[in-house]
Short mmCIF file of all heavy atoms in Angstrom, two decimals:
data_model
loop_
_atom_site.label_atom_id
_atom_site.label_comp_id
_atom_site.label_asym_id
_atom_site.label_seq_id
_atom_site.Cartn_x
_atom_site.Cartn_y
_atom_site.Cartn_z
N ASN A 1635 181.74 -17.54 107.70
CA ASN A 1635 180.98 -18.70 107.77
C ASN A 1635 181.52 -19.56 108.97
O ASN A 1635 180.91 -20.70 109.24
CB ASN A 1635 181.15 -19.55 106.60
CG ASN A 1635 180.20 -18.97 105.55
OD1 ASN A 1635 179.25 -18.22 105.79
ND2 ASN A 1635 180.50 -19.17 104.23
N ASP A 1636 182.66 -19.19 109.56
CA ASP A 1636 183.19 -19.90 110.70
C ASP A 1636 182.46 -19.66 112.04
O ASP A 1636 182.56 -18.65 112.64
CB ASP A 1636 184.64 -19.56 110.80
CG ASP A 1636 185.35 -20.45 111.86
OD1 ASP A 1636 184.54 -21.11 112.64
OD2 ASP A 1636 186.52 -20.21 112.13
N MET A 1637 181.56 -20.65 112.31
CA MET A 1637 180.58 -20.23 113.49
C MET A 1637 181.50 -20.03 114.82
O MET A 1637 181.01 -19.46 115.73
CB MET A 1637 179.62 -21.31 113.68
CG MET A 1637 178.56 -21.26 112.53
SD MET A 1637 177.32 -22.45 112.90
CE MET A 1637 176.51 -21.80 114.36
N SER A 1638 182.63 -20.70 114.92
CA SER A 1638 183.33 -20.64 116.12
C SER A 1638 183.78 -19.07 116.40
O SER A 1638 184.17 -18.69 117.54
CB SER A 1638 184.61 -21.45 116.16
OG SER A 1638 185.50 -21.13 115.11
N GLU A 1639 183.71 -18.24 115.26
CA GLU A 1639 184.27 -16.98 115.56
C GLU A 1639 183.14 -15.96 115.76
O GLU A 1639 183.22 -14.74 116.03
CB GLU A 1639 184.90 -16.42 114.24
CG GLU A 1639 186.25 -16.98 113.99
CD GLU A 1639 187.13 -16.49 113.02
OE1 GLU A 1639 186.63 -15.61 112.23
OE2 GLU A 1639 188.26 -16.80 112.92
N CYS A 1640 181.84 -16.56 115.77
CA CYS A 1640 180.75 -15.56 116.06
C CYS A 1640 180.72 -15.19 117.51
O CYS A 1640 181.14 -15.91 118.45
CB CYS A 1640 179.40 -16.34 115.82
SG CYS A 1640 179.25 -16.91 114.15
N LYS A 1641 180.36 -13.88 117.77
CA LYS A 1641 180.33 -13.32 119.14
C LYS A 1641 178.94 -13.23 119.60
O LYS A 1641 177.96 -12.92 118.79
CB LYS A 1641 181.09 -12.15 119.12
CG LYS A 1641 182.60 -12.20 118.77
CD LYS A 1641 183.26 -10.89 118.66
CE LYS A 1641 183.74 -10.44 120.09
NZ LYS A 1641 184.55 -9.11 119.99
#
Side-chain angles (χ1 to χ4, degrees):
N1635 286 337
D1636 181 354
M1637 287 183 70
S1638 66
E1639 289 193 353
C1640 301
K1641 296 177 81 174

